[in-house]
């Protein structure tokens, strides 16, 4: 019997299966507003990574959820990537996770129970690494495998790092290199070798726990993590939340070497094109940039890096924290400026 390929069940794996940004904005614009209590510090208004609810003067609850279809064929690796990605939203708000709930949807007539068990064990292993329990969850029988978490965390109310709090003059620091979506596309085409797979796994299973440390640096004003909308999409959310413009220097953006090689050959995900269609009018690309560079800037990242907006004189401390936490590719990639929300890439 041939090994089961989890990606064969997916029409779009990992964060590449997110609803396109333009379509999502239209859907959300039609959703009625519910009750907004004064304790709700962060809701849906600025496209932040998680909701934040003030409990008292010292604590706020951070709540998020994330799940997706398989981005890799190995079931345990799928579980690890999905869990790492979900917990990242807690760190992106400056919080520390305290527990998780599992979200499980599996085609029970097609997947052996041992495969499903391996997915769950992969997720549980990441939660153990993060120091939190999986305290419950919910499961359903569906056509495509789906796995993820509801993640809950705590943060001091004064340490919440929202998209809306970036400041003009801030520099932008990216914690992980781009290219995970391109590697996933190469994997589905059968072109990703063992070395490339290991590179992909190293980045997608690296917890962004440094976010809770970065939030303690006074010069850090805003954070988000780069996931399904790509670098440009998530940076644009910061620009819109903070009512600022951004400049990005392409030469300074860290890239996964293997992904760059594939991008030059035209390998990309369909989500990359959908991302550009959704927010391209708000981005100005230098005429010297090649199509493969645009593909990397819009590439959907699964469990991508933190994007930090900080005062220029805090950038050294931010980079030092990244380096100490094992993020060897972290780099200053641009800055924020006064102006209408817009990104210029040179």
């Amino acid at each position: 019997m041939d090994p089961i390929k989890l990606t064969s069940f997916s029409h779009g794996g990992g964060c590449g299966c997110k609803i396109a940004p333009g379509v999502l904005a239209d859907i959300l614009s039609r959703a009625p507003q519910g009750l907004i209590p004064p304790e709700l510090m962060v809701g849906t208004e600025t496209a932040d990574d998680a909701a934040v609810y003030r409990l008292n003067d010292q604590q706020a609850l951070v709540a998020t959820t994330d799940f997706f279809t398989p981005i890799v064929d190995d079931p345990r690796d799928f579980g690890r990537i999905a869990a790492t990605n979900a917990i990242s939203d807690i760190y992106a708000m400056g919080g520390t996770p305290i527990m998780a709930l599992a979200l499980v949807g599996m085609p029970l007539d097609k997947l052996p129970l041992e495969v499903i068990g391996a997915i769950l064990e992969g997720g549980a292993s990441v939660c153990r690494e993060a120091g939190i329990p999986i305290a419950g969850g919910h499961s359903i029988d569906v056509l495509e495998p789906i796995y993820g978490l509801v993640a809950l965390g705590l943060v001091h109310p004064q340490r919440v790092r929202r998209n809306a709090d970036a400041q003009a003059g801030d520099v932008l620091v990216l914690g992980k290199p781009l290219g995970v979506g391109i590697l996933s596309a190469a994997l589905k085409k059968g072109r990703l070798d063992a070395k490339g797979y290991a590179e992909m796994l190293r980045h997608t299973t690296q917890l962004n726990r440094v976010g809770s440390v970065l939030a303690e640096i006074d010069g850090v004003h805003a954070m988000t993590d780069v996931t399904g909308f790509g670098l440009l999409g998530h940076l644009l959310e910061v620009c819109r939340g903070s009512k600022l413009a951004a400049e990005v220097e392409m030469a300074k953006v860290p890239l996964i070497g293997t992904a760059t090689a594939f991008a030059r050959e035209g390998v990309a995900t369909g989500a990359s094109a959908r991302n550009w269609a959704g927010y391209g009018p708000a981005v100005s690309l230098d005429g010297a940039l090649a199509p493969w560079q645009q593909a990397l800037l819009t590439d959907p990242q699964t469990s991508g890096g933190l994007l930090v907006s900080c005062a220029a004189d805090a950038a050294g401390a931010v980079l030092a924290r990244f380096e100490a936490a094992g993020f060897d590719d972290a780099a200053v990639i641009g800055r924020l400026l006064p102006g209408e929300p817009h990104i210029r890439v040179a």
Side-chain angles (χ1 to χ4, degrees):
M1 180 178 177
D2 294 333
I4 290 176
K5 289 186 175 294
L6 287 178
T7 54
S8 68
F9 293 88
S10 307
H11 70 283
C15 287
C17 68
K18 290 176 71 170
I19 295 175
V23 178
L24 179 60
D26 190 23
I27 291 172
L28 293 178
S29 70
R30 301 166 189 268
Q33 278 286 353
L35 174 68
I36 303 178
E39 294 85 1
L40 186 64
M41 297 178 63
V42 181
T44 62
E45 60 282 348
T46 51
D48 275 280
D49 299 289
V52 182
Y53 187 95
R54 182 192 295 270
L55 300 175
N56 51 55
D57 290 343
Q58 301 297 316
Q59 293 177 313
L61 179 69
V62 187
T64 185
T65 185
D66 212 314
F67 54 89
F68 47 64
T69 53
I71 187 174
V72 294
D73 292 317
D74 183 279
R76 190 172 188 276
D77 288 345
F78 170 42
R80 291 173 64 203
I81 294 168
T84 306
N85 179 76
I87 297 171
S88 180
D89 287 341
I90 301 294
Y91 297 127
M93 300 304 298
T96 300
I98 56 173
M99 73 173 183
L101 308 174
L103 299 172
V104 184
M106 297 290 156
L108 296 178
D109 61 333
K110 297 181 177 66
L111 288 184
L113 294 182
E114 56 266 26
V115 170
I116 298 173
I119 294 170
L120 302 186
E121 167 51 29
S125 71
V126 167
C127 288
R128 289 194 294 270
E129 182 182 350
I132 62 172
I134 295 181
H138 185 65
S139 60
I140 59 173
D141 187 358
V142 290
L143 297 177
E144 290 184 283
I146 297 170
Y147 177 71
L149 300 174
V150 173
L152 302 173
L154 293 173
V155 65
H156 192 289
Q158 295 180 0
R159 294 300 185 191
V160 176
R161 295 295 178 254
R162 306 182 306 161
N163 285 344
D165 294 332
Q167 299 181 15
D170 279 359
V171 299
L172 298 166
V173 182
L174 180 61
K176 291 183 183 181
L178 305 180
V180 167
I182 288 170
L183 294 183
S184 72
L187 176 67
K188 290 200 76 168
K189 294 175 182 292
R191 298 184 58 187
L192 192 66
D193 62 16
K195 181 180 178 182
Y197 182 80
E199 193 172 19
M200 175 182 173
L201 201 62
R202 176 169 68 88
H203 294 299
T204 54
T205 60
Q206 185 176 23
L207 284 165
N208 279 323
R209 66 174 76 204
V210 67
S212 58
V213 178
L214 295 174
E216 297 176 357
I217 300 175
D218 289 337
V220 170
H221 300 135
M223 283 195 298
T224 188
D225 61 346
V226 179
T227 53
F229 297 155
L231 172 63
L232 295 181
H234 291 285
L235 174 55
L236 191 58
E237 289 177 339
V238 174
C239 291
R240 287 170 173 165
S242 300
K243 299 178 174 58
L244 296 170
E247 289 184 348
V248 173
E249 295 183 58
M250 186 69 207
K252 294 185 177 180
V253 176
L255 305 173
I256 299 173
T258 307
T260 300
F262 280 124
R264 287 177 177 272
E265 297 174 13
V267 176
T269 68
S272 179
R274 293 193 297 273
N275 282 342
W276 182 253
Y279 53 67
V283 179
S284 298
L285 298 178
D286 187 284
L289 294 180
W292 65 267
Q293 292 173 304
Q294 176 183 317
L296 281 160
L297 292 169
T298 58
D299 187 48
Q301 303 305 287
T302 299
S303 190
L306 294 177
L307 179 63
V308 182
S309 174
C310 67
D313 59 7
V318 169
L319 288 171
R321 298 297 193 284
F322 269 121
E323 183 178 3
F327 293 86
D328 301 330
D329 298 287
V332 175
I333 65 167
R335 59 180 179 150
L336 291 171
L337 305 166
E340 290 297 314
H342 181 270
I343 302 172
R344 184 173 71 86
V345 185

